[in-house]
Amino acid sequence: MKLEIQTYTKARHIDTLIDLTAANDEAQRFYKSVPDSVMKDVGIWIDIK
């Protein structure tokens, strides 16, 4: 199942989403669960497939 943001961005021909991240444990668990994503510094790069 795709995340809603991935469906939204793919429909607009966006192939990578870069977002700032939060440091708390709950947020980190969420970021690590996002498919096709890589944590870099204080951001997350998500490939939209």
Side-chain angles (χ1 to χ4, degrees):
M1 182 173 162
K2 285 191 175 233
L3 295 173
E4 185 175 330
I5 190 72
Q6 289 174 314
T7 303
Y8 175 88
T9 53
K10 186 173 183 173
R12 284 152 184 80
H13 307 287
I14 297 169
D15 60 8
T16 302
L17 175 66
I18 302 172
D19 194 17
L20 296 178
T21 59
N24 66 57
D25 290 338
E26 183 179 350
Q28 291 296 311
R29 280 193 302 277
F30 168 74
Y31 303 138
K32 291 174 184 175
S33 74
V34 176
D36 303 314
S37 67
V38 176
M39 294 292 297
K40 297 182 182 182
D41 300 319
V42 293
I44 181 172
W45 276 241
I46 304 169
D47 288 330
I48 307 301
K49 297 183 178 187

